[in-house]
Amino acid sequence: MKLNIRNTFSKELPADKILENNRRQVVGACFSYVTPKKTAKPKVLHVSDEMLAEIGVTKEDAESEEFLHVFTGNTTLKNTHPYAMCYGGHQFGNWAGQLGDGRAINLFEINHNNQQWAIQLKGAGETPYSRTADGLAVLRSSVREHLCSEAMYHLGVPTTRSLSLSLTGDRVLRDIMYNGNAAYEKGAVVCRAAPSFIRFGNFEILAARQDYDTLKKLTDYTIQHFYPEITSEGKQKYLDFLTEVRNRTIEMIVHWQRVGFVHGVMNTDNMSILGLTIDYGPYGWLEDFDTEWTPNTTDAKNRRYRFGNQAYIGMWNLYKLANAIYGLIEETDSLQEILDAYENLYTNKYELMMQEKLGLYQNNHTNLISELEKTLQLTETDYTIFFRNLATVSKLDTVEIAFNKIKKAFYIIEGLTSSVKDTWLHWFEKYRDALQAEKINDTERKLKMNAVNPKYVLRNYMAQLAIDEADDGNYQLINELYEILKKPYAEQPENEKWFAKRPEWAKHKIGCSMLSCSS
Ligand code: AMP
Ligand code: MG
C-alpha cells in the first residue's frame, strides 16, 4: 500500500513533551503522541470505495493484511507517529475544560490529488484525554458514524468522511441508557477522514489557559492550510477568519435543516473549524416534522440541541470561538459586527433554501414558508416524503388533487381532522398561486426540486436494522444502505421500500428515536 503521507498538523504545531500515555492536563501543546491499542481479532466490515479513491488506495490494497492492521490501529506505518489532539469545549452551555481526543487517534495526513486528508481512528484506545472513559467505541455507534458520514456527503452536506468500519474483536462495556444496566457489546473502530479535525474547542482551550503563543500558531496554521483565500494580515486576518468560519457554519446548518438532520450534541468541541458535520453521536433524522425534536435523551429536558434551535446554537458557538480568538485581536467592535450579521445571513440563506425545496425561484415567500412550517406540525407529517412528493404537484392541479399527492406523508391518514385538512387546502391554494406565478414548467421544476429534496435518507430505524443484523454477524444491510445512500436524490424504484415512514415499532425504540451519548 503506497500512501502519499504529508503531515502538517503534527509537524508545524507544538507537541506535548510528555510521551507517557496517562490522563492529564496537557499544556503548551496542540497534541500528544500516542499509540493505538492492539486489537484482539480485527475484521474490516465495510470500506467506502469512494474514500479509498480519494486517498489513493486501490481496492486490492484495501483487502490486504496491511490495510486491516493499519486502519484498526494494530500496526503503525513506518515513520508515522499517531497523536491525539488537545481541545476543550462548552458542553450543553457550560465550560467543561480540557476534553480532547479521548478515543480518537490521528494516524497521519495524506495528500492525494492535491487534497489533504487527516486520517483518524475512532475507538482505538486510551489517550491522555480519555478522562474517566476507556477510549473505545462499540459497533452500533460505529455503524451509525460510518453510514451517516457517507450519506451526508452524498446529500451534499459538508461533513467529515468515513473510510472504513471494522470490528476489533474486543468486548466493550456500556450502559446504553445510563440506568445501571451495563452490558458488553462488540468493539469497533471507524477510520474517518477530513482535511482537518480541528474544532472550535481547540482554540478555546488555549485561550482559557491564556496560551496566546500557541493560540496564534494554531490560528495561523488553520488559516494557512484551510482558508487560503484569506490574504489580509494582522488583526484583519483573524477577523476575516471568524467571518469565514461563520459563513461555513451557516452553510452547514442550512443544509442540516434542508435534509432534516439533527446533530444532537452541538457542543463547541463538536463544531468543526471547517464547517463540517463532525462527531456522529446521538444524531437523528427528522421523521415527522417537529421543530422541538431531538433524538438525544441526554438533552431531553432542555432540548438545547433540538431541530429548531440548531441555527441559534451555531451562533452561540461562534460567540465562544470569537471569545477564544479575541486574545489575537483585542478589539470587540469588529468581532461583534461579524456575529451580529449571523442572524440575517442565516435567515436569508434558510429562506432561499426553503424556496428551493418548494420549487419557487421568483419573489419572496416568507409567509408561505412560515405557514407551511406551522401546518406541517398540526399532525405528524413526514418531512422527507412531504417534500419529495410535493414535486409531483402540477400548477394546474386543484387543491384537492395537490393535497392527495402529499397524503402519504401523514403518519395517521385516517386521523386527519377536517380542520387540519382545511388548513392544508388553504395552504395549497396559496402554493398554487405561487407556482402559477413562476416561469418554470412542471417538469423542469420537478427535476430541480428532486435535486434538493432527497428521496432516501438514513432514517433512524434503517441504521438500527443494520446494527441489529451486524450484531448477529450479518453485514449485508450495511452494504445495501451504503449503496442506496450514495444516490439519495435518484428515484431508485427497486429501493422504494426505504421511501417509507418510520414503522410504528421504531417510534419509541432505543436506538431509533431515543439515543444517548453512550457510544
Ligand atoms: P462526545 O460527547 O462524544 O463529543 O465526547 C466528548 C469528549 O469525551 C471528547 O473529549 C471525547 O473524546 C471523550 N470521549 C467520549 N467517549 C469516550 C470514550 N469512550 N473514551 C474516552 N473518551 C471519550
Ligand atoms: Mg465529540
Side-chain angles (χ1 to χ4, degrees):
M1 186 167 56
K2 261 220 192 110
L3 299 170
N4 184 25
I5 293 178
R6 200 190 293 164
N7 292 314
T8 62
F9 187 90
S10 57
K11 215 168 121 191
E12 298 172 26
L13 293 168
D16 178 7
K17 295 199 173 55
I18 304 173
L19 294 178
E20 228 173 297
N21 192 0
N22 60 326
R23 290 143 204 242
R24 59 199 146 83
Q25 293 294 309
V26 174
V27 294
C30 289
F31 65 93
S32 308
Y33 288 111
V34 287
T35 306
K37 184 177 184 278
K38 290 228 184 298
T39 56
K41 200 168 178 262
K43 177 183 161 77
V44 177
L45 299 185
H46 192 262
V47 175
S48 157
D49 44 9
E50 295 181 321
M51 268 316 293
L52 277 183
E54 288 282 357
I55 62 166
V57 175
T58 63
K59 284 196 178 167
E60 297 78 70
D61 280 342
E63 282 161 18
S64 66
E65 283 287 302
E66 190 184 23
F67 183 95
L68 167 73
H69 289 294
V70 168
F71 293 104
T72 51
N74 261 338
T75 13
T76 303
L77 271 188
K78 231 180 164 179
N79 296 325
T80 64
H81 305 280
Y83 59 93
M85 292 158 101
C86 179
Y87 54 83
H90 279 81
Q91 296 186 312
F92 298 95
N94 306 304
W95 175 241
Q98 177 182 297
L99 298 166
D101 286 335
R103 56 152 164 198
I105 297 180
N106 295 272
L107 296 181
F108 38 71
E109 289 173 64
I110 293 176
N111 194 287
H112 185 65
N113 290 338
N114 266 331
Q115 171 67 54
Q116 192 77 8
W117 291 103
I119 305 294
Q120 184 178 83
L121 301 182
K122 188 167 173 180
E126 290 170 55
T127 77
Y129 311 97
S130 297
R131 297 181 293 152
T132 58
D134 56 11
L136 305 175
V138 293
L139 180 60
R140 66 183 148 80
S141 63
S142 306
V143 169
R144 283 167 52 83
E145 172 136 19
H146 181 66
L147 284 180
C148 200
S149 309
E150 294 303 285
M152 290 282 268
Y153 170 74
H154 292 290
L155 282 164
V157 183
T159 180
T160 61
R161 303 288 303 273
S162 183
L163 172 70
S164 60
L165 164 72
S166 309
L167 282 174
T168 59
D170 294 305
R171 297 191 315 155
V172 176
L173 191 64
R174 285 289 181 272
D175 182 1
I176 300 189
M177 296 318 282
Y178 301 122
N179 56 6
N181 289 313
Y184 280 102
E185 299 184 43
K186 290 183 182 176
V189 169
V190 159
C191 177
R192 56 185 188 176
S196 169
F197 288 98
I198 299 174
R199 304 134 190 276
F200 287 14
N202 294 66
F203 300 84
E204 287 180 275
I205 190 70
L206 298 171
R209 291 172 170 161
Q210 300 181 325
D211 181 356
Y212 299 116
D213 183 40
T214 313
L215 177 66
K216 185 170 183 309
K217 284 183 185 146
L218 176 69
T219 315
D220 288 342
Y221 165 87
T222 308
I223 295 170
Q224 186 200 331
H225 288 277
F226 309 109
Y227 289 90
E229 66 276 21
I230 298 177
T231 52
S232 47
E233 287 180 18
K235 288 179 183 184
Q236 193 56 43
K237 169 165 136 178
Y238 303 118
L239 291 168
D240 290 347
F241 171 57
L242 184 68
T243 305
E244 289 305 313
V245 177
R246 176 199 66 194
N247 294 346
R248 289 201 201 179
T249 303
I250 289 176
E251 179 83 14
M252 170 185 78
I253 298 176
V254 169
H255 276 293
W256 288 357
Q257 305 306 108
R258 173 174 65 83
V259 298
F261 176 81
V262 187
H263 182 284
V265 205
M266 291 175 74
N267 293 335
T268 54
D269 52 301
N270 290 337
M271 294 294 289
S272 146
I273 202 68
L274 305 186
L276 305 172
T277 314
I278 191 173
D279 279 7
Y280 290 88
Y283 69 83
W285 290 86
L286 204 61
E287 283 155 343
D288 68 293
F289 182 82
D290 175 3
T291 55
E292 293 294 301
W293 186 70
T294 174
N296 186 358
T297 50
T298 316
D299 188 27
K301 202 162 147 235
N302 296 319
R303 295 177 184 271
R304 179 178 171 84
Y305 300 135
R306 63 191 181 271
F307 181 67
N309 209 34
Q310 299 195 113
Y312 168 75
I313 293 294
M315 182 173 73
W316 195 96
N317 289 340
L318 282 162
Y319 265 89
K320 298 302 160 198
L321 178 65
N323 272 331
I325 62 167
Y326 169 79
L328 304 177
I329 301 163
E330 296 189 317
E331 187 227 306
T332 45
D333 288 357
S334 321
L335 281 173
Q336 190 64 48
E337 251 174 60
I338 296 167
L339 298 168
D340 283 347
Y342 181 99
E343 224 178 308
N344 273 337
L345 286 169
Y346 177 83
T347 307
N348 290 341
K349 283 228 162 200
Y350 175 79
E351 288 197 357
L352 265 177
M353 175 278 284
M354 285 304 280
Q355 291 207 186
E356 287 195 352
K357 280 181 83 70
L358 288 165
L360 300 173
Y361 311 100
Q362 292 162 220
N363 309 320
N364 287 335
H365 296 282
T366 311
N367 289 339
L368 192 74
I369 293 168
S370 64
E371 270 179 45
L372 173 64
E373 287 167 347
K374 280 187 213 132
T375 311
L376 280 168
Q377 294 185 81
L378 290 177
T379 173
E380 261 185 279
T381 313
D382 195 90
Y383 187 56
T384 305
I385 297 177
F386 175 84
F387 276 102
R388 189 69 184 189
N389 282 1
L390 191 67
T392 64
V393 170
S394 147
K395 279 181 184 185
L396 300 176
D397 280 345
T398 63
V399 288
E400 193 72 46
I401 288 177
F403 175 74
N404 279 331
K405 286 183 174 170
I406 57 91
K407 241 179 161 175
K408 183 187 168 183
F410 297 123
Y411 272 81
I412 312 174
I413 296 174
E414 314 76 49
L416 272 193
T417 64
S418 59
S419 103
V420 170
K421 185 175 171 188
D422 284 348
T423 313
W424 272 115
L425 294 182
H426 188 66
W427 185 82
F428 269 111
E429 239 172 70
K430 293 187 185 168
Y431 182 54
R432 190 188 49 195
D433 290 348
L435 285 185
Q436 286 179 355
E438 292 282 328
K439 287 196 195 80
I440 193 167
N441 68 41
D442 285 338
T443 319
E444 276 177 50
R445 177 170 42 81
K446 184 175 174 193
L447 276 177
K448 283 182 80 160
M449 286 172 76
N450 283 352
V452 294
N453 295 319
K455 179 159 179 180
Y456 301 101
V457 295
L458 183 62
R459 289 170 182 273
N460 311 309
Y461 79 92
M462 291 161 66
Q464 189 57 40
L465 287 174
I467 291 165
D468 290 343
E469 289 194 6
D471 255 329
D472 292 339
N474 180 356
Y475 313 110
Q476 193 45 43
L477 192 51
I478 293 177
N479 195 50
E480 188 183 329
L481 295 180
Y482 169 78
E483 292 297 332
I484 294 168
L485 296 169
K486 264 185 185 173
K487 295 187 230 103
Y489 300 103
E491 279 302 322
Q492 306 189 52
E494 69 283 13
N495 291 314
E496 196 74 21
K497 72 169 177 189
W498 299 113
F499 180 60
K501 286 173 288 227
R502 170 206 64 223
E504 195 51 31
W505 60 261
K507 194 169 175 182
H508 299 293
K509 185 171 159 39
I510 291 171
C512 294
S513 59
M514 290 196 291
L515 291 137
S516 72
C517 289
S518 156
S519 54

